[in-house]
Amino acid sequence: FWISKGYEVIGVSPDSEASHKKFIENFGLRFNLIADTEKEILQAYGAWGEKMNYGKTYMGVLRKTFVINENGIIEKGSDNQELLH
């Protein structure tokens, strides 16, 4: 949706560049992924934190979506998938 509207879409995760390359090839992604192995970007955007699964607490990626304008200002943000559609 966003790509068709003229936006540049970028994904960020703590996975390696090699892992991203394989993921992009496997799923035919049409956008770039940034390997943030030190979690600096994820932490800056509040997208790294405590999660819970099956009663266990652990640190992981918190899925967030941001619309950032050409001046680097966040216009919209969401903690769920609503901005993806």
Side-chain angles (χ1 to χ4, degrees):
F1 170 82
W2 289 99
I3 293 171
S4 68
K5 298 284 186 185
Y7 288 85
E8 179 179 2
V9 175
I10 301 170
V12 180
S13 89
D15 298 327
S16 69
E17 288 184 37
S19 172
H20 283 176
K21 183 177 180 182
K22 185 175 180 181
F23 189 81
I24 289 168
E25 290 171 358
N26 285 345
F27 292 96
L29 297 185
R30 298 181 306 158
F31 57 88
N32 292 317
L33 295 177
I34 295 174
D36 184 22
T37 57
E38 300 297 319
K39 301 168 194 77
E40 293 173 1
I41 298 168
L42 293 168
Q43 289 175 0
Y45 282 87
W48 182 259
E50 195 172 274
K51 297 175 76 167
M52 183 177 285
N53 192 19
Y54 296 108
K56 293 186 178 187
T57 303
Y58 62 98
M59 296 299 286
V61 175
L62 305 174
R63 292 185 182 261
K64 295 184 180 250
T65 304
F66 298 96
V67 177
I68 303 170
N69 71 21
E70 61 275 359
N71 297 315
I73 297 171
I74 296 173
E75 292 185 352
K76 296 180 185 179
S78 177
D79 287 342
N80 59 40
Q81 303 282 328
E82 71 185 35
L83 290 178
L84 298 179
H85 306 288

Coordinates of all heavy atoms in Angstrom, one line a residue:
F1 N 0.8 -1.2 0.0 CA 0.0 0.0 0.0 C 0.9 1.3 0.0 O 0.7 2.1 -0.8 CB -1.0 0.0 1.2 CG -1.7 1.3 1.4 CD1 -2.8 1.6 0.7 CD2 -1.2 2.2 2.3 CE1 -3.5 2.7 0.9 CE2 -1.9 3.4 2.5 CZ -3.0 3.7 1.8
W2 N 1.8 1.4 1.0 CA 2.6 2.6 1.1 C 3.5 2.8 -0.1 O 3.7 3.9 -0.6 CB 3.4 2.6 2.4 CG 2.5 2.8 3.6 CD1 2.0 1.8 4.4 CD2 1.9 4.0 4.0 NE1 1.2 2.4 5.3 CE2 1.1 3.7 5.1 CE3 2.0 5.3 3.6 CZ2 0.4 4.7 5.8 CZ3 1.3 6.3 4.3 CH2 0.5 6.0 5.4
I3 N 4.1 1.7 -0.6 CA 4.9 1.8 -1.8 C 4.1 2.3 -3.0 O 4.6 3.2 -3.7 CB 5.6 0.4 -2.1 CG1 6.5 0.0 -1.0 CG2 6.3 0.5 -3.5 CD1 7.0 -1.4 -1.1
S4 N 2.9 1.9 -3.2 CA 2.1 2.3 -4.3 C 1.7 3.8 -4.1 O 1.4 4.5 -5.1 CB 0.8 1.5 -4.4 OG 0.0 1.7 -3.3
K5 N 1.8 4.3 -2.9 CA 1.5 5.8 -2.6 C 2.7 6.6 -2.8 O 2.6 7.8 -2.5 CB 0.9 5.9 -1.2 CG -0.4 5.2 -1.0 CD -1.5 5.9 -1.6 CE -2.8 5.3 -1.3 NZ -4.0 5.9 -2.0
G6 N 3.8 6.0 -3.1 CA 5.1 6.8 -3.4 C 6.0 6.9 -2.2 O 7.0 7.7 -2.2
Y7 N 5.7 6.2 -1.1 CA 6.5 6.3 0.1 C 7.7 5.3 0.0 O 7.5 4.2 -0.7 CB 5.7 5.9 1.4 CG 4.8 6.9 1.8 CD1 3.5 7.0 1.3 CD2 5.1 7.8 2.8 CE1 2.6 8.0 1.7 CE2 4.2 8.8 3.2 CZ 3.0 8.9 2.7 OH 2.1 9.8 3.1
E8 N 8.8 5.6 0.6 CA 9.9 4.6 0.7 C 9.6 3.8 2.0 O 9.5 4.4 3.0 CB 11.2 5.3 0.7 CG 12.4 4.3 0.8 CD 13.7 5.0 0.9 OE1 13.8 6.2 0.9 OE2 14.7 4.2 0.9
V9 N 9.6 2.5 1.8 CA 9.4 1.6 3.0 C 10.7 1.0 3.4 O 11.4 0.5 2.5 CB 8.3 0.5 2.7 CG1 8.2 -0.4 3.8 CG2 7.0 1.2 2.3
I10 N 11.0 1.0 4.7 CA 12.2 0.5 5.2 C 11.9 -0.3 6.5 O 11.2 0.2 7.3 CB 13.3 1.6 5.6 CG1 13.6 2.4 4.4 CG2 14.5 0.9 6.2 CD1 14.4 3.6 4.7
G11 N 12.4 -1.6 6.5 CA 12.2 -2.4 7.7 C 13.5 -2.4 8.5 O 14.6 -2.3 7.9
V12 N 13.4 -2.5 9.8 CA 14.5 -2.6 10.7 C 14.4 -3.8 11.6 O 13.3 -4.0 12.2 CB 14.7 -1.3 11.5 CG1 15.9 -1.4 12.5 CG2 14.7 -0.1 10.7
S13 N 15.4 -4.6 11.7 CA 15.4 -5.7 12.7 C 16.9 -6.0 13.1 O 17.8 -5.5 12.5 CB 14.8 -6.9 12.1 OG 15.8 -7.7 11.4
P14 N 17.0 -6.7 14.2 CA 18.4 -7.0 14.7 C 19.1 -8.1 14.0 O 20.2 -8.5 14.3 CB 18.1 -7.3 16.2 CG 16.7 -7.9 16.2 CD 16.0 -7.1 15.2
D15 N 18.4 -8.7 13.0 CA 19.0 -9.8 12.3 C 20.2 -9.3 11.4 O 20.3 -8.1 11.1 CB 18.0 -10.5 11.4 CG 16.9 -11.1 12.2 OD1 17.1 -11.5 13.3 OD2 15.7 -11.1 11.8
S16 N 21.0 -10.2 11.0 CA 22.2 -9.9 10.2 C 21.8 -9.5 8.7 O 20.7 -9.8 8.3 CB 23.2 -11.1 10.1 OG 22.6 -12.1 9.4
E17 N 22.7 -8.9 8.0 CA 22.5 -8.6 6.6 C 22.3 -9.8 5.8 O 21.5 -9.9 4.9 CB 23.7 -7.8 6.0 CG 23.7 -6.3 6.6 CD 24.8 -5.5 5.9 OE1 25.1 -5.7 4.7 OE2 25.4 -4.7 6.6
A18 N 23.0 -10.9 6.1 CA 22.9 -12.2 5.4 C 21.5 -12.7 5.6 O 20.9 -13.2 4.6 CB 23.9 -13.1 5.8
S19 N 21.0 -12.6 6.8 CA 19.6 -13.1 7.1 C 18.6 -12.3 6.4 O 17.6 -12.8 5.8 CB 19.4 -13.0 8.6 OG 18.1 -13.3 8.9
H20 N 18.8 -11.0 6.3 CA 17.9 -10.1 5.6 C 17.9 -10.4 4.1 O 16.8 -10.5 3.5 CB 18.3 -8.6 5.8 CG 17.9 -8.1 7.1 ND1 18.2 -6.8 7.5 CD2 17.2 -8.7 8.1 CE1 17.7 -6.6 8.7 NE2 17.1 -7.7 9.1
K21 N 19.0 -10.6 3.5 CA 19.1 -11.0 2.1 C 18.3 -12.2 1.8 O 17.5 -12.3 0.8 CB 20.6 -11.1 1.7 CG 20.7 -11.4 0.2 CD 22.2 -11.5 -0.2 CE 22.3 -11.8 -1.7 NZ 23.6 -11.9 -2.2
K22 N 18.5 -13.2 2.6 CA 17.7 -14.5 2.4 C 16.2 -14.3 2.6 O 15.4 -14.8 1.8 CB 18.2 -15.5 3.4 CG 17.6 -16.9 3.2 CD 18.3 -17.9 4.2 CE 17.7 -19.3 4.0 NZ 18.3 -20.2 4.9
F23 N 15.8 -13.5 3.6 CA 14.4 -13.2 3.8 C 13.8 -12.5 2.6 O 12.7 -12.8 2.2 CB 14.3 -12.4 5.1 CG 12.9 -12.2 5.6 CD1 12.3 -13.2 6.3 CD2 12.2 -11.0 5.3 CE1 11.0 -13.0 6.8 CE2 10.9 -10.8 5.8 CZ 10.3 -11.8 6.5
I24 N 14.5 -11.4 2.1 CA 14.1 -10.7 1.0 C 13.9 -11.6 -0.2 O 12.9 -11.5 -0.9 CB 15.0 -9.5 0.7 CG1 14.9 -8.4 1.7 CG2 14.7 -8.9 -0.7 CD1 16.0 -7.4 1.7
E25 N 14.8 -12.5 -0.5 CA 14.7 -13.4 -1.6 C 13.6 -14.4 -1.4 O 12.9 -14.6 -2.4 CB 16.1 -14.1 -1.8 CG 17.2 -13.2 -2.3 CD 18.6 -13.9 -2.3 OE1 18.7 -15.1 -1.8 OE2 19.5 -13.3 -2.7
N26 N 13.5 -14.9 -0.2 CA 12.4 -15.9 0.0 C 11.0 -15.4 -0.1 O 10.1 -16.1 -0.6 CB 12.6 -16.5 1.4 CG 13.7 -17.5 1.5 OD1 14.2 -18.0 0.5 ND2 14.1 -17.8 2.7
F27 N 10.8 -14.1 0.3 CA 9.5 -13.5 0.3 C 9.3 -12.5 -0.8 O 8.2 -11.9 -0.8 CB 9.2 -13.0 1.7 CG 9.1 -14.1 2.7 CD1 10.1 -14.4 3.5 CD2 7.9 -14.8 2.9 CE1 10.0 -15.4 4.5 CE2 7.8 -15.8 3.8 CZ 8.9 -16.1 4.6
G28 N 10.3 -12.2 -1.6 CA 10.1 -11.3 -2.7 C 9.8 -9.9 -2.2 O 9.0 -9.2 -2.9
L29 N 10.4 -9.4 -1.2 CA 10.1 -8.1 -0.6 C 10.5 -7.0 -1.6 O 11.5 -7.2 -2.3 CB 10.8 -7.9 0.7 CG 10.4 -8.8 1.9 CD1 11.2 -8.3 3.1 CD2 8.9 -8.8 2.1
R30 N 9.7 -6.0 -1.7 CA 10.0 -4.8 -2.5 C 10.5 -3.6 -1.8 O 10.4 -2.5 -2.2 CB 8.8 -4.5 -3.3 CG 8.2 -5.6 -4.2 CD 7.0 -5.2 -5.0 NE 6.0 -4.6 -4.0 CZ 5.0 -3.8 -4.4 NH1 4.9 -3.5 -5.6 NH2 4.1 -3.4 -3.5
F31 N 11.1 -3.9 -0.6 CA 11.6 -2.8 0.2 C 12.9 -3.2 0.9 O 13.1 -4.4 1.0 CB 10.6 -2.2 1.2 CG 10.0 -3.2 2.2 CD1 10.7 -3.5 3.4 CD2 8.9 -3.9 1.9 CE1 10.1 -4.4 4.3 CE2 8.3 -4.8 2.8 CZ 9.0 -5.1 3.9
N32 N 13.6 -2.3 1.4 CA 14.9 -2.6 2.1 C 14.7 -2.9 3.5 O 13.8 -2.4 4.2 CB 15.8 -1.4 2.0 CG 16.3 -1.1 0.6 OD1 16.6 -2.0 -0.2 ND2 16.3 0.2 0.1
L33 N 15.6 -3.7 4.0 CA 15.7 -4.0 5.5 C 17.0 -3.5 6.0 O 18.1 -3.8 5.4 CB 15.6 -5.5 5.7 CG 14.3 -6.2 5.3 CD1 14.3 -7.7 5.5 CD2 13.1 -5.6 6.1
I34 N 17.0 -2.9 7.1 CA 18.3 -2.5 7.8 C 18.6 -3.4 8.9 O 17.8 -3.8 9.7 CB 18.1 -1.1 8.4 CG1 17.8 0.0 7.3 CG2 19.3 -0.7 9.2 CD1 17.5 1.4 7.8
A35 N 19.9 -3.9 8.9 CA 20.4 -4.8 9.9 C 20.8 -3.9 11.1 O 21.9 -3.3 11.0 CB 21.5 -5.7 9.4
D36 N 20.1 -3.9 12.2 CA 20.4 -3.1 13.4 C 20.8 -4.1 14.5 O 20.2 -4.2 15.5 CB 19.2 -2.3 13.8 CG 19.4 -1.4 15.0 OD1 20.6 -1.0 15.2 OD2 18.5 -1.0 15.7
T37 N 22.0 -4.7 14.2 CA 22.4 -5.8 15.2 C 22.8 -5.3 16.5 O 22.7 -6.0 17.5 CB 23.7 -6.5 14.6 OG1 24.7 -5.6 14.3 CG2 23.3 -7.3 13.3
E38 N 23.1 -4.0 16.6 CA 23.4 -3.4 17.9 C 22.1 -2.8 18.6 O 22.1 -2.3 19.7 CB 24.4 -2.3 17.8 CG 25.7 -2.7 17.2 CD 26.4 -3.7 18.1 OE1 26.4 -3.5 19.4 OE2 27.0 -4.7 17.6
K39 N 21.0 -2.9 17.9 CA 19.7 -2.4 18.3 C 19.6 -0.9 18.7 O 18.7 -0.5 19.4 CB 19.2 -3.3 19.5 CG 19.1 -4.7 19.2 CD 19.0 -5.5 20.5 CE 19.2 -7.0 20.2 NZ 20.6 -7.3 20.1
E40 N 20.4 -0.1 18.0 CA 20.5 1.3 18.3 C 19.2 2.0 17.7 O 18.6 2.8 18.4 CB 21.7 1.9 17.7 CG 23.0 1.5 18.4 CD 24.2 2.0 17.7 OE1 24.2 2.7 16.7 OE2 25.3 1.6 18.2
I41 N 18.8 1.7 16.5 CA 17.7 2.3 15.9 C 16.4 1.8 16.6 O 15.5 2.5 16.9 CB 17.6 1.9 14.4 CG1 18.8 2.5 13.6 CG2 16.3 2.4 13.7 CD1 19.0 2.0 12.2
L42 N 16.3 0.5 16.8 CA 15.2 -0.1 17.5 C 14.9 0.6 18.8 O 13.8 0.9 19.2 CB 15.3 -1.6 17.7 CG 15.3 -2.4 16.4 CD1 15.8 -3.8 16.6 CD2 14.0 -2.4 15.7
Q43 N 16.0 0.8 19.6 CA 15.8 1.4 20.9 C 15.5 2.9 20.8 O 14.6 3.4 21.5 CB 17.1 1.2 21.7 CG 17.4 -0.2 22.2 CD 18.7 -0.4 22.9 OE1 19.5 0.5 23.0 NE2 18.9 -1.6 23.3
A44 N 16.0 3.6 19.8 CA 15.7 5.0 19.6 C 14.2 5.2 19.3 O 13.7 6.2 19.7 CB 16.6 5.6 18.5
Y45 N 13.6 4.2 18.6 CA 12.2 4.4 18.2 C 11.3 3.6 19.2 O 10.1 3.5 18.9 CB 12.0 3.9 16.8 CG 12.5 4.9 15.7 CD1 13.8 5.0 15.3 CD2 11.5 5.8 15.2 CE1 14.2 5.9 14.4 CE2 11.9 6.8 14.3 CZ 13.2 6.8 13.9 OH 13.6 7.8 13.0
G46 N 11.8 3.1 20.3 CA 11.0 2.4 21.2 C 10.5 1.1 20.7 O 9.4 0.6 21.1
A47 N 11.2 0.5 19.8 CA 10.8 -0.8 19.1 C 11.6 -2.0 19.6 O 11.6 -3.0 19.0 CB 10.9 -0.6 17.6
W48 N 12.3 -1.8 20.8 CA 13.0 -3.0 21.4 C 12.6 -2.9 22.9 O 12.7 -1.9 23.6 CB 14.5 -2.8 21.3 CG 15.2 -4.0 21.9 CD1 15.8 -4.0 23.1 CD2 15.4 -5.3 21.3 NE1 16.4 -5.2 23.3 CE2 16.1 -6.0 22.3 CE3 15.0 -5.9 20.2 CZ2 16.5 -7.4 22.0 CZ3 15.4 -7.2 19.9 CH2 16.1 -7.9 20.8
G49 N 12.0 -4.0 23.3 CA 11.6 -4.0 24.7 C 11.1 -5.4 25.2 O 11.3 -6.4 24.5
E50 N 10.5 -5.4 26.4 CA 10.1 -6.6 27.0 C 8.8 -7.1 26.3 O 7.9 -6.4 26.1 CB 9.8 -6.3 28.5 CG 9.6 -7.5 29.3 CD 9.6 -7.2 30.8 OE1 10.6 -7.0 31.4 OE2 8.4 -7.0 31.3
K51 N 8.8 -8.4 26.1 CA 7.7 -9.1 25.4 C 7.3 -10.3 26.3 O 8.1 -10.8 27.1 CB 8.0 -9.6 24.0 CG 8.4 -8.5 23.1 CD 8.8 -9.0 21.7 CE 7.6 -9.5 21.0 NZ 8.0 -9.7 19.5
M52 N 6.1 -10.9 26.1 CA 5.8 -12.1 26.8 C 5.1 -13.0 25.8 O 4.3 -12.7 25.0 CB 4.8 -11.7 27.9 CG 4.4 -13.0 28.8 SD 3.3 -12.6 30.1 CE 4.5 -11.8 31.2
N53 N 5.5 -14.3 26.0 CA 5.0 -15.4 25.1 C 4.9 -16.6 26.0 O 5.9 -17.0 26.6 CB 5.9 -15.6 23.9 CG 5.2 -16.4 22.9 OD1 4.0 -16.6 22.9 ND2 6.0 -17.0 21.9
Y54 N 3.7 -17.2 26.0 CA 3.5 -18.4 26.8 C 4.0 -18.3 28.2 O 4.6 -19.2 28.8 CB 4.2 -19.7 26.2 CG 3.6 -20.0 24.8 CD1 4.4 -19.7 23.7 CD2 2.3 -20.5 24.7 CE1 3.8 -20.0 22.4 CE2 1.8 -20.8 23.4 CZ 2.6 -20.6 22.3 OH 2.1 -20.9 21.1
G55 N 3.7 -17.1 28.8 CA 4.1 -16.8 30.2 C 5.5 -16.5 30.5 O 5.9 -16.2 31.6
K56 N 6.4 -16.5 29.4 CA 7.8 -16.2 29.6 C 8.0 -14.8 29.1 O 7.6 -14.4 28.1 CB 8.7 -17.2 28.8 CG 8.6 -18.6 29.4 CD 9.6 -19.5 28.7 CE 9.6 -20.8 29.4 NZ 10.6 -21.7 28.9
T57 N 8.8 -14.0 29.9 CA 9.2 -12.7 29.5 C 10.6 -12.7 28.9 O 11.5 -13.4 29.4 CB 9.2 -11.8 30.8 OG1 7.9 -11.8 31.4 CG2 9.5 -10.3 30.4
Y58 N 10.7 -11.9 27.8 CA 12.0 -11.8 27.1 C 12.1 -10.5 26.4 O 11.1 -9.8 26.2 CB 12.2 -13.0 26.1 CG 11.2 -13.0 25.0 CD1 11.5 -12.5 23.8 CD2 9.9 -13.5 25.2 CE1 10.5 -12.5 22.8 CE2 9.0 -13.5 24.2 CZ 9.3 -13.0 23.0 OH 8.3 -13.0 22.0
M59 N 13.3 -10.1 26.0 CA 13.5 -8.9 25.2 C 13.4 -9.2 23.7 O 13.9 -10.2 23.3 CB 14.9 -8.3 25.5 CG 15.0 -7.8 26.9 SD 13.9 -6.6 27.4 CE 14.6 -5.1 26.6
G60 N 12.7 -8.3 23.0 CA 12.6 -8.6 21.5 C 12.1 -7.4 20.8 O 11.9 -6.3 21.4
V61 N 11.8 -7.5 19.5 CA 11.3 -6.5 18.7 C 9.9 -6.2 18.9 O 9.1 -7.1 18.9 CB 11.6 -6.8 17.2 CG1 10.9 -5.7 16.3 CG2 13.0 -7.0 16.9
L62 N 9.5 -5.0 19.2 CA 8.1 -4.5 19.3 C 7.7 -4.0 18.0 O 8.3 -3.0 17.5 CB 8.0 -3.5 20.4 CG 8.6 -3.9 21.8 CD1 8.6 -2.7 22.7 CD2 7.9 -5.1 22.4
R63 N 6.8 -4.6 17.4 CA 6.4 -4.1 16.0 C 5.7 -2.8 16.1 O 4.7 -2.6 16.7 CB 5.4 -5.1 15.4 CG 6.1 -6.4 15.1 CD 5.2 -7.4 14.3 NE 5.9 -8.6 14.1 CZ 6.5 -9.0 13.0 NH1 6.5 -8.1 12.0 NH2 7.1 -10.1 12.9
K64 N 6.4 -1.8 15.4 CA 5.9 -0.5 15.3 C 6.0 0.0 13.9 O 6.8 -0.4 13.1 CB 6.7 0.4 16.3 CG 6.5 0.1 17.7 CD 7.2 1.0 18.6 CE 7.0 0.6 20.0 NZ 6.2 1.6 20.8
T65 N 5.1 1.0 13.5 CA 5.1 1.5 12.2 C 5.2 3.1 12.3 O 4.4 3.6 13.2 CB 3.9 1.1 11.4 OG1 3.8 -0.3 11.4 CG2 3.9 1.7 10.0
F66 N 6.0 3.7 11.6 CA 6.1 5.1 11.6 C 6.1 5.7 10.2 O 6.6 5.1 9.2 CB 7.5 5.6 12.2 CG 7.7 5.2 13.6 CD1 8.4 4.0 13.9 CD2 7.1 5.9 14.6 CE1 8.5 3.6 15.2 CE2 7.3 5.5 16.0 CZ 8.0 4.4 16.3
V67 N 5.4 6.8 10.0 CA 5.4 7.6 8.7 C 6.3 8.8 9.0 O 5.9 9.6 9.9 CB 4.0 8.0 8.3 CG1 4.1 8.8 7.0 CG2 3.2 6.7 8.1
I68 N 7.4 8.9 8.4 CA 8.4 9.9 8.6 C 8.5 10.8 7.3 O 8.7 10.2 6.2 CB 9.8 9.3 9.0 CG1 9.7 8.4 10.2 CG2 10.8 10.5 9.2 CD1 10.9 7.6 10.5
N69 N 8.3 12.1 7.4 CA 8.3 12.9 6.2 C 9.7 13.2 5.7 O 10.7 12.7 6.4 CB 7.5 14.2 6.5 CG 8.2 15.2 7.4 OD1 9.4 15.2 7.6 ND2 7.4 16.1 7.9
E70 N 9.8 13.9 4.6 CA 11.1 14.1 4.0 C 12.1 15.0 4.9 O 13.3 15.0 4.6 CB 11.0 14.8 2.6 CG 10.3 16.1 2.7 CD 8.7 16.1 2.6 OE1 8.2 15.0 2.6 OE2 8.1 17.1 2.7
N71 N 11.5 15.6 5.9 CA 12.4 16.4 6.8 C 12.8 15.6 8.1 O 13.4 16.1 9.0 CB 11.6 17.7 7.3 CG 11.4 18.6 6.1 OD1 12.2 18.8 5.3 ND2 10.1 19.1 6.0
G72 N 12.4 14.3 8.1 CA 12.8 13.4 9.2 C 11.9 13.6 10.4 O 12.2 13.1 11.5
I73 N 10.7 14.1 10.2 CA 9.8 14.3 11.3 C 8.7 13.2 11.2 O 8.1 13.0 10.2 CB 9.1 15.7 11.2 CG1 10.2 16.8 11.4 CG2 8.0 15.9 12.2 CD1 9.7 18.2 11.1
I74 N 8.4 12.6 12.4 CA 7.4 11.5 12.4 C 6.0 12.2 12.3 O 5.7 13.0 13.1 CB 7.5 10.7 13.7 CG1 8.9 10.0 13.8 CG2 6.4 9.7 13.9 CD1 9.1 9.3 15.1
E75 N 5.3 11.8 11.3 CA 4.0 12.3 11.1 C 2.9 11.4 11.7 O 1.9 11.9 12.2 CB 3.7 12.5 9.6 CG 4.5 13.6 8.9 CD 4.1 13.8 7.5 OE1 3.3 13.0 6.9 OE2 4.6 14.8 6.9
K76 N 3.1 10.1 11.7 CA 2.2 9.2 12.3 C 3.0 8.0 12.9 O 4.1 7.7 12.4 CB 1.3 8.6 11.2 CG 0.4 9.6 10.6 CD -0.5 8.9 9.6 CE -1.4 9.9 8.8 NZ -2.2 9.2 7.8
G77 N 2.5 7.4 13.9 CA 3.1 6.3 14.5 C 2.1 5.3 15.1 O 1.0 5.8 15.4
S78 N 2.4 4.1 15.1 CA 1.4 3.1 15.6 C 2.2 1.9 16.2 O 3.2 1.5 15.7 CB 0.6 2.6 14.4 OG -0.3 1.6 14.9
D79 N 1.5 1.3 17.2 CA 2.1 0.1 17.9 C 1.5 -1.1 17.3 O 1.8 -2.2 17.7 CB 1.8 0.1 19.4 CG 2.7 1.1 20.1 OD1 3.7 1.6 19.6 OD2 2.3 1.5 21.2
N80 N 0.7 -1.0 16.2 CA 0.1 -2.2 15.6 C 0.2 -2.0 14.1 O 0.9 -1.1 13.6 CB -1.3 -2.4 16.1 CG -2.2 -1.2 15.8 OD1 -2.1 -0.6 14.7 ND2 -3.1 -0.9 16.7
Q81 N -0.5 -2.9 13.4 CA -0.4 -2.9 11.9 C -1.3 -2.0 11.2 O -1.3 -1.9 10.0 CB -0.7 -4.4 11.5 CG 0.2 -5.4 12.1 CD 1.6 -5.4 11.4 OE1 1.7 -5.2 10.3 NE2 2.6 -5.8 12.2
E82 N -2.1 -1.1 11.9 CA -3.1 -0.3 11.2 C -2.5 0.7 10.2 O -3.2 0.9 9.2 CB -3.9 0.5 12.3 CG -3.1 1.6 12.9 CD -3.9 2.3 14.0 OE1 -4.7 1.7 14.7 OE2 -3.7 3.5 14.2
L83 N -1.3 1.1 10.3 CA -0.7 2.0 9.3 C -0.2 1.3 8.1 O 0.1 1.9 7.1 CB 0.5 2.8 9.9 CG 0.1 3.9 11.0 CD1 1.4 4.5 11.5 CD2 -0.8 4.9 10.4
L84 N -0.2 0.0 8.1 CA 0.3 -0.8 7.0 C -0.8 -0.9 5.9 O -0.5 -1.4 4.8 CB 0.8 -2.1 7.4 CG 2.0 -2.1 8.4 CD1 2.4 -3.5 8.8 CD2 3.2 -1.4 7.8
H85 N -2.0 -0.5 6.2 CA -3.1 -0.8 5.2 C -3.7 0.5 4.9 O -3.7 1.5 5.5 CB -4.1 -1.7 5.8 CG -3.5 -3.0 6.3 ND1 -3.1 -4.0 5.4 CD2 -3.3 -3.5 7.5 CE1 -2.6 -5.0 6.1 NE2 -2.7 -4.7 7.4

